Amino acid sequence: MTIGVVCPSCRQRLQAPESAVGQKTECPSCGTRFVVLSESNSSPHATPQPNPSAAERQETPAEESPSDALTPEILAWARQQLNEEETVAGLREIRETGGLELADFLHDLQREAIPRE
Amino acid sequence: MSEPFSQPTPYRVSYSERVRQELLRLAGQARDQGFGPEFIAAVKELDRRLRIYPQFGQPLCDLKLEPAQIWIGVVPPLVVRYVLDEERRLVMVVALPFLLPRAHS
C-alpha cells in the first residue's frame, strides 16, 4: 500500500510504501533528504491506493512542477500520436534482447547534439 | 542513534532501438535549434529519474494490444513515454520521445 508524500523542498508529489514511514528518503527530483512522516509531509490529497489505470485517474489541482509542462493538449497529443504496434514491438525487443542502456549510446547523442568546432 | 538511510534498489532502464534512433534525430534537431547541451542534460536527468523513481511521471494510457500501461514523464525540453514493470523493476522506454513546444521548454 502506498502513501502520498510531498517533498518539503521542491514540492514534488511522490509515492512511498507505508513501510517507509519514519525512514529517511531522498527526493528523486531535487535530491533533498527528508524523513517520511505519515502526515506532516504527506500530500494533502494522500489516500492509500494502487496506481490507477489511465481511465480511472482523476484530475488533481495543479502544483508547480516540471509536469506542469504537460498541458492537457500535449497529453492528448501524446495519447493520439502513440503508435501501438511500434510500442509493442519495442516491448518484445526488450524482453528478447534486454534492450539498450543509455550508456550504450549517450556518446553518440552527445556527438550529435554538441558538435565539436 | 541515527536512523538508517534507506536506498531503494534502482530500476533497470532499457531503450528500444527505435527510441535510440529517435533520440539521435532529436539530438540533431536540438543542436540545430541551439539547445543541444540542454537536450543532453534532459536525457541524462530523465534516465536518472527513471532509474531511481519512475513513478515521477504519470499514467498516460493503457495499451490495447497487450496489458500494459504507458507512462509519460518530462524533463524539459524532453518528454518520454515508457512502460513500467514493477515486478521486474524494469522501465522500458519503447514509445517515441518528443520535444516540448519551445514555449514550454
Side-chain angles (χ1 to χ4, degrees), chain B residues 2 10 31-32 41-42 47 95 102:
Chain B
S2 60
R31 176 203 62 223
D32 293 341
D47 188 82
R102 284 305 280 164

Side-chain angles (χ1 to χ4, degrees), chain A residues 15 22 24 28 78 81 100, chain B residues 3 6 12 15 48 53 81:
Chain A
Q15 286 188 332
K24 286 184 184 176
Q81 190 259 358
L100 299 164
Chain B
E3 290 182 293
S6 59
R12 176 181 161 84
Y15 301 79
R48 187 189 75 88
Y53 188 70
R81 291 171 291 186

Side-chain angles (χ1 to χ4, degrees), chain B:
Chain B
M1 182 171 156
S2 60
E3 290 182 293
F5 178 68
S6 59
Q7 296 212 3
T9 305
Y11 290 72
R12 176 181 161 84
V13 181
S14 291
Y15 301 79
S16 67
E17 171 60 23
R18 186 66 187 89
V19 167
R20 183 192 73 85
Q21 293 171 1
E22 183 65 7
L23 284 170
L24 266 178
R25 190 188 71 79
L26 293 176
Q29 186 178 330
R31 176 203 62 223
D32 293 341
Q33 295 181 14
F35 59 94
E38 192 180 358
F39 173 84
I40 293 298
V43 169
K44 289 180 177 178
E45 178 60 16
L46 273 168
D47 188 82
R48 187 189 75 88
R49 292 190 188 186
L50 290 174
R51 278 186 284 114
I52 295 172
Y53 188 70
Q55 297 84 357
F56 84 95
Q58 61 188 52
L60 178 68
C61 60
D62 298 318
L63 287 178
K64 298 180 183 65
L65 296 180
E66 72 166 68
Q69 187 175 58
I70 299 292
W71 285 63
I72 187 167
V74 59
V75 173
L78 185 61
V79 182
V80 291
R81 291 171 291 186
Y82 54 97
V83 173
L84 178 54
D85 186 336
E86 294 272 15
E87 199 176 304
R88 294 180 178 82
R89 290 190 79 81
L90 174 61
V91 176
M92 295 173 278
V93 186
V94 290
L96 297 188
F98 58 92
L99 296 174
L100 284 171
R102 284 305 280 164
H104 292 274
S105 301

